[in-house]
Amino acid sequence: MSFSFFKPSRPKTPPEVAKAIKDSLNALDTKTVAEVKALEKAMEEVEKNFVTMRCMLSGDGEVEPNVEQVSQLALEISKEDVISLVVHKLPILGWEARKDLVHCWSILLKQQVDSKYCCVEYIEKHLELLDFLVVCYDNKEIALNCGNMLRECIKFPSLAQYILNSASFVLFFKFVELPNFDVASDAFSTFKDILTKHASLVAEYLTGHYDEFFDLYEKLLTSSNYVTRRQSLKLLSDFLLEAPNVQIMKRYILEVRYLKIMMTLLRDSSKNIQISAFHIFKVFVANPNKPREIKIILAKNHEKLLELLNSLSGKGAEDEQFEEEKELIIKEIEKVSRLQSLKS
């Protein structure tokens, strides 16, 4: 004869999980924060509910997630305003809860219900959540979690477009130079995704904010921080040479100030920076419609430029192509330096 004193607890349904998460997050209010024991209990409840959410969304290692339950949970989390709650409560969540949340965030955003990304649509109606996540880079305790969540959001064009055009976007120019290396690196990863994931959106943004953007970007290229200079130069090459940005590039290579920056970076003590600078510098030189001011700068500095270029060599497999390009640029500089029209 077997005796059963305890019945196994019935697994929660998606609506129950969403409500439990909502209730436990709401318990983390200012009154609770003042009562240490009550706060600890509330935190434990949040963590327990996040684990339940994680298991429902991605399985427990033995049982695969139920596709219908995953979709229903994403829908319920949107309907119950849980997305807004988890973002705003991030600063007071514990490490484990934040880790589970970041894992679940990626899955939730990708869920489609009736061909619609319900969680993405929720964020589209509450765009201030994106501003909140950006500003969280100022809080080093949660900066990396927020960075992960932002990069998931940026995969969706509507959310990336909002960040690009928001007042908070310019904060990235500060965040990428924060003294905490991990936070600054993460901010740069997010900054890079914003500028490279959706080329047509970026082209539209740069067209409308050309002066403002490149004035700020110039400070990154001339930063005293080696990592900032190297990363920003590489990123500039990545997005400036994209086909949708061809008009932006054509405008950029007409400006003497930006040519001078590349010439300065060609003299950098880092070979990596020198080579990255060359790949942008060569576009200034190869431009068949160089303004007179650009030609004058190249002619006046041709001896130093030729000396620099002759001492510059590529890396590994790129050597042959690099040498060919360098040879063409050297010839063009020599040709410009001989122009009689510039000597008058």
Side-chain angles (χ1 to χ4, degrees):
M1 183 181 292
S2 63
F3 296 92
S4 177
F5 295 100
F6 301 102
K7 290 183 179 180
S9 60
R10 175 182 64 80
K12 287 181 178 177
T13 63
E16 289 170 341
V17 173
K19 188 176 186 308
I21 293 170
K22 182 177 182 177
D23 292 345
S24 60
L25 286 169
N26 278 327
L28 299 174
D29 56 22
T30 50
K31 291 179 183 176
T32 313
V33 172
E35 303 161 10
V36 177
K37 286 186 178 178
L39 176 60
E40 286 178 356
K41 186 178 178 183
M43 284 290 193
E44 285 175 11
E45 196 64 24
V46 169
E47 288 180 7
K48 184 178 79 173
N49 289 326
F50 277 15
V51 168
T52 303
M53 173 171 64
R54 180 173 181 148
C55 287
M56 186 171 282
L57 290 174
S58 56
D60 60 5
E62 295 179 5
V63 180
E64 288 294 308
N66 180 301
V67 176
E68 285 185 15
Q69 283 194 329
V70 171
S71 295
Q72 193 181 358
L73 181 58
L75 189 60
E76 292 295 328
I77 278 176
S78 301
K79 284 166 57 178
E80 292 290 332
D81 284 330
V82 174
I83 293 173
S84 183
L85 267 176
V86 295
V87 171
H88 286 297
K89 297 291 185 183
L90 255 173
I92 57 172
L93 294 180
W95 186 84
E96 281 292 339
R98 295 199 306 268
K99 186 180 75 170
D100 284 336
L101 172 59
V102 169
H103 175 85
C104 294
W105 184 263
S106 169
I107 299 170
L108 287 167
L109 291 190
K110 293 170 187 170
Q111 289 312 304
Q112 286 184 282
V113 180
D114 296 331
S115 302
K116 294 181 179 179
Y117 294 100
C118 53
C119 293
V120 173
E121 286 193 349
Y122 179 90
I123 298 171
E124 287 173 348
K125 293 171 185 171
H126 300 81
L127 291 166
E128 71 282 356
L129 297 176
L130 296 173
D131 294 310
F132 184 90
L133 288 173
V134 172
V135 171
C136 281
Y137 268 118
D138 254 336
N139 181 343
K140 66 181 180 182
E141 295 300 319
I142 60 170
L144 304 188
N145 303 119
C146 292
N148 271 307
M149 292 166 73
L150 273 172
R151 287 190 291 279
E152 290 300 324
C153 291
I154 289 162
K155 291 176 181 177
F156 298 89
S158 60
L159 304 186
Q161 184 174 34
Y162 173 77
I163 296 172
L164 255 180
N165 290 282
S166 70
S168 57
F169 174 62
V170 297
L171 293 174
F172 279 99
F173 290 94
K174 179 186 91 170
F175 294 149
V176 299
E177 292 210 89
L178 286 170
N180 183 301
F181 178 79
D182 290 337
V183 175
S185 296
D186 193 275
F188 200 93
S189 293
T190 306
F191 186 53
K192 179 180 179 179
D193 277 6
I194 295 171
L195 291 171
T196 57
K197 288 289 181 187
H198 309 284
S200 58
L201 289 180
V202 173
E204 184 182 333
Y205 167 78
L206 292 176
T207 301
H209 302 81
Y210 180 89
D211 291 325
E212 176 193 3
F213 177 83
F214 284 108
D215 281 350
L216 290 167
Y217 209 92
E218 181 178 342
K219 294 173 183 174
L220 300 183
L221 293 171
T222 56
S223 169
S224 59
N225 184 306
Y226 162 73
V227 176
T228 301
R229 289 199 312 280
R230 182 178 175 182
Q231 287 184 326
S232 58
L233 187 57
K234 177 68 171 62
L235 176 56
L236 178 65
S237 180
D238 286 345
F239 72 81
L240 200 58
L241 303 180
E242 283 280 330
N245 290 325
V246 65
Q247 295 305 319
I248 302 298
M249 182 199 71
K250 285 180 177 179
R251 184 173 172 182
Y252 189 85
I253 61 173
L254 296 179
E255 301 202 40
V256 168
R257 65 191 278 202
Y258 300 135
L259 171 63
K260 287 181 176 178
I261 290 171
M262 293 307 139
M263 287 167 60
T264 299
L265 292 170
L266 278 173
R267 300 199 307 268
D268 198 276
S269 57
S270 160
K271 182 179 177 181
N272 286 317
I273 287 180
Q274 287 180 332
I275 290 171
S276 294
F278 171 79
H279 288 303
I280 300 177
F281 172 76
K282 71 186 181 187
V283 187
F284 282 89
V285 180
N287 178 16
N289 301 308
K290 288 185 284 294
R292 178 180 169 82
E293 293 80 5
I294 296 284
K295 291 177 181 176
I296 289 171
I297 294 290
L298 293 174
K300 280 185 177 178
N301 295 275
H302 78 277
E303 290 182 0
K304 289 179 181 177
L305 285 170
L306 296 182
E307 185 181 338
L308 270 171
L309 293 173
N310 280 316
S311 66
L312 197 59
S313 57
K315 295 184 292 185
E318 299 173 0
D319 268 1
E320 190 174 336
Q321 184 184 348
F322 181 85
E323 289 300 324
E324 287 176 5
E325 290 179 349
K326 189 176 78 170
E327 193 61 35
L328 288 171
I329 296 306
I330 287 173
K331 286 179 179 177
E332 180 62 23
I333 292 172
E334 288 174 335
K335 178 183 167 185
V336 169
S337 70
R338 292 193 296 267
L339 289 175
Q340 292 299 317
S341 60
L342 301 178
K343 297 174 184 177
S344 56

